[in-house]
């Protein structure tokens, strides 16, 4: 069942989403490399009550979030945007939140970028999800996880070594 939700831009206090971001990238110093380098978006249930945070009205419970960065030009002068740390609260996974965030990123990037890409571990959980959302395998970055993280990372019982880069044409 797909939820009725709204997706908003997050312009400040991004550290507030730390626990959620760590679901997608479990080493905080890696997240900090792009936390403020791109646009951040968060998904909330349409009927979520809000509370006052300074001068803004903020929903209390986030369903998911992501960061989208400008990665410049790639092969053939294609402008590339990259989704980083797409994360959905476990209780709301498989309910359309991740797909809605990716579709939001694609709409936002269309016209400015040619390609929306994402890098992920070669896992039976994540790669099929991105493929179902219109992404296809572009290339592999060998030993990305073993070279850049201070501990082994496992997903679905598989140790992540290489990063699979998937792309969706805009």
């Amino acid at each position: 069942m797909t939820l009725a939700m709204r997706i908003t831009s997050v312009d400040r206090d991004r550290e507030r989403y730390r626990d959620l971001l760590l679901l997608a990238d479990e080493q905080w110093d890696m997240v900090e490399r792009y936390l403020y380098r791109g646009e951040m978006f968060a998904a909330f249930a349409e009927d979520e009550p809000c509370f006052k945070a300074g001068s803004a009205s903020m929903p209390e419970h986030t369903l998911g979030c992501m960061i989208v960065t400008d990665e410049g030009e790639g092969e053939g002068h294609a402008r590339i945007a990259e989704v980083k740390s797409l994360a959905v609260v476990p209780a709301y996974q498989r309910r359309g939140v991740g797909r809605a965030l990716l579709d939001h990123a694609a709409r936002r990037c269309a016209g400015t970028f040619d390609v929306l890409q994402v890098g992920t571990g070669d896992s039976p959980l994540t790669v099929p999800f991105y493929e179902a959302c219109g992404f296809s395998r572009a290339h592999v970055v060998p030993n990305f996880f073993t070279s850049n993280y201070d501990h082994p990372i496992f997903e679905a019982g598989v140790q992540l070594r290489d990063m699979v880069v998937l792309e969706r044409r805009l």
Side-chain angles (χ1 to χ4, degrees), residues 112-163:
T112 304
F113 295 93
D114 304 302
V115 174
L116 183 61
Q117 77 177 17
V118 63
T120 188
D122 197 359
S123 159
L125 294 178
T126 54
V127 172
F129 164 72
Y130 287 112
E131 290 173 336
C133 291
F135 288 78
S136 56
R137 289 175 185 248
H139 62 275
V140 172
V141 179
N143 302 311
F144 178 84
F145 292 97
T146 54
S147 297
N148 289 288
Y149 287 80
D150 63 11
H151 63 284
I153 298 179
F154 291 87
E155 187 170 295
V158 175
Q159 182 179 355
L160 304 182
R161 297 184 193 314
D162 302 335
M163 178 170 59

Side-chain angles (χ1 to χ4, degrees), residues 55-112:
S55 62
S57 181
M58 297 288 298
E60 194 168 340
H61 301 289
T62 308
L63 304 176
C65 68
M66 70 179 169
I67 297 169
V68 181
T69 60
D70 179 341
E71 296 301 313
E73 286 189 4
E75 211 171 284
H77 303 289
R79 296 264 313 143
I80 299 170
E82 183 170 348
V83 173
K84 303 209 182 250
S85 287
L86 172 64
V88 175
V89 172
Y92 293 97
Q93 291 176 359
R94 301 189 184 285
R95 297 181 64 190
V97 177
R99 181 182 294 271
L101 283 163
L102 289 173
D103 288 345
H104 181 81
R107 283 190 306 277
R108 288 285 295 233
C109 293
T112 304

Side-chain angles (χ1 to χ4, degrees), residues 14-58:
R14 292 182 180 188
E15 293 85 1
R16 170 178 174 231
Y17 298 88
R18 179 186 175 119
D19 290 344
L20 188 53
L21 291 165
L22 287 170
L23 291 176
D25 191 337
E26 64 185 61
Q27 190 167 304
W28 186 246
D29 69 322
M30 294 294 282
V31 175
E32 287 179 314
R33 292 178 183 187
Y34 52 81
L35 182 62
Y36 285 97
R37 191 165 64 83
E39 282 189 275
M40 184 173 184
F41 302 97
F44 303 94
E46 190 64 49
D47 59 354
E48 175 68 31
C50 295
F51 70 95
K52 199 76 166 160
S55 62
S57 181
M58 297 288 298

